[in-house]
């Protein structure tokens, strides 16, 4: 790199933000289920024969069907370690190869996580196919579809549409977490709408998250 080129490029590199606020928020939200998954997967891999107080804190049936737990847990952990950093403009610009590879890991882990979530329901709640199950399936399909569309636009090198659908993919993924906060609000209000939240919390979270994602995308890319 010549001195002249350095003068031209370095200011742009400094101006490109890392977006710590967005990355940190996603690390926090995805970490709510992902961090406990580290311990659950570790305990399931070790097996039920190991005496530990922590083993008593998880569902004993997990030890009978370890594959589904390991599949769902590991995919969730990989998603936690990859997806948040896709929202760093600085990383996208400075390390495009990292962004691409990291994105594929986020895509695969998200789809595996969504599919194994439905699988878990069939394994541990085989007789429950009401509104809560339907909500789970809809959210799982939405997660997979939004990520597939985001990857499709990445392959086409349509950066704006790719970014738009990455926002929606993140919103869909967080639809399984945001109901926790909605349930807390319902509890503080005297359990108003508690049954509704139990059955349709994921769908409500999905709709709200999509609205927020749409607003954030327009705000950050106008």
């Amino acid at each position: 790199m010549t001195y002249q080129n350095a003068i031209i490029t370095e200011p742009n590199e400094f101006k490109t933000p890392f977006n710590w606020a967005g990355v940190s928020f996603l690390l926090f939200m995805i970490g709510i289920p992902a961090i406990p998954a580290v311990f659950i997967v570790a305990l399931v891999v070790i097996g039920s024969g190991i005496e530990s107080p922590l083993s008593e804190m998880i569902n004993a049936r997990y030890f009978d069907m370890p594959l589904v737990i390991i599949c769902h847990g590991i995919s969730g952990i990989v998603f936690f370690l990859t997806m948040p950093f896709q929202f760093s403009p600085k990383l996208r610009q400075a390390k495009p190869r990292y962004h691409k590879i990291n994105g594929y890991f986020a895509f695969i882990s998200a789809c595996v996580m969504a599919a194994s979530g439905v699988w878990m329901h069939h394994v541990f709640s085989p007789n429950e196919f009401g509104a809560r199950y339907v909500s789970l399936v809809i959210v799982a399909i939405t997660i997979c579809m939004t990520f597939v569309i985001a990857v499709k636009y990445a392959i086409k090198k349509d950066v704006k549409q790719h970014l738009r659908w990455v926002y929606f993919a993140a919103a869909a993924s967080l639809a399984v977490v945001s109901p926790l906060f909605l349930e807390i609000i319902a509890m503080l209000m005297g359990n108003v709408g508690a049954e509704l939240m139990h059955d349709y919390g994921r769908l409500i979270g999905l709709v709200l998250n999509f609205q927020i994602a749409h607003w954030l995308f327009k705000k950050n890319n106008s």
Side-chain angles (χ1 to χ4, degrees):
M1 178 186 293
T2 65
Y3 178 71
Q4 184 178 6
N5 287 337
I7 293 176
I8 294 173
T9 59
E10 285 179 6
N12 291 330
E13 291 178 2
F14 283 116
K15 288 179 181 178
T16 305
F18 188 88
N19 188 22
W20 278 113
V23 172
S24 299
F25 173 76
L26 287 173
L27 283 171
F28 169 74
M29 292 292 287
I30 301 172
I32 291 174
I35 293 175
V38 174
F39 299 98
I40 293 172
V41 169
L43 288 170
V44 170
V45 169
I46 292 171
S48 58
I50 304 298
E51 293 186 5
S52 170
L54 292 175
S55 298
E56 300 175 0
M57 297 174 62
I58 65 174
N59 193 332
R61 296 175 64 193
Y62 289 178
F63 297 107
D64 299 327
M65 294 293 294
L67 184 58
V68 62
I69 298 301
I70 293 170
C71 184
H72 189 66
I74 290 179
S75 60
I77 294 165
V78 173
F79 188 72
F80 167 68
L81 296 173
T82 55
M83 186 61 180
F85 299 100
Q86 292 301 98
F87 284 82
S88 171
K90 193 172 186 68
L91 284 178
R92 287 201 300 268
Q93 179 177 302
K95 298 182 178 181
R97 181 172 174 78
Y98 164 83
H99 176 74
K100 180 178 180 180
I101 295 173
N102 195 63
Y104 279 119
F105 271 105
F107 162 60
I108 294 169
S109 63
C111 292
V112 172
M113 181 176 64
S116 60
V118 178
W119 181 19
M120 278 183 62
H121 184 97
H122 280 268
V123 170
F124 298 113
S125 305
N127 300 316
E128 297 179 14
F129 295 103
R132 187 171 176 81
Y133 171 75
V134 173
S135 299
L136 173 64
V137 172
I138 291 173
V139 169
I141 292 172
T142 305
I143 290 172
C144 294
M145 286 182 62
T146 50
F147 270 97
V148 167
I149 295 171
V151 170
K152 182 192 76 171
Y153 280 117
I155 293 172
K156 289 183 174 181
K157 300 188 185 304
D158 188 336
V159 176
K160 186 173 183 179
Q161 288 302 320
H162 167 66
L163 188 57
R164 180 193 300 273
W165 283 95
V166 168
Y167 272 72
F168 287 138
S173 303
L174 294 181
V176 298
V177 181
S178 49
L180 295 175
F181 298 93
L182 296 175
E183 287 173 6
I184 291 173
I185 294 172
M187 183 180 65
L188 294 174
M189 295 175 63
N191 288 329
V192 175
E195 186 176 345
L196 180 70
M197 287 306 307
H198 180 268
D199 291 337
Y200 299 101
R202 293 187 182 98
L203 288 182
I204 295 171
L206 183 66
V207 172
L208 290 176
N209 288 356
F210 268 24
Q211 294 297 319
I212 294 170
H214 177 69
W215 175 77
L216 284 173
F217 177 78
K218 289 185 67 176
K219 176 177 179 291
N220 296 331
N221 297 276
S222 56

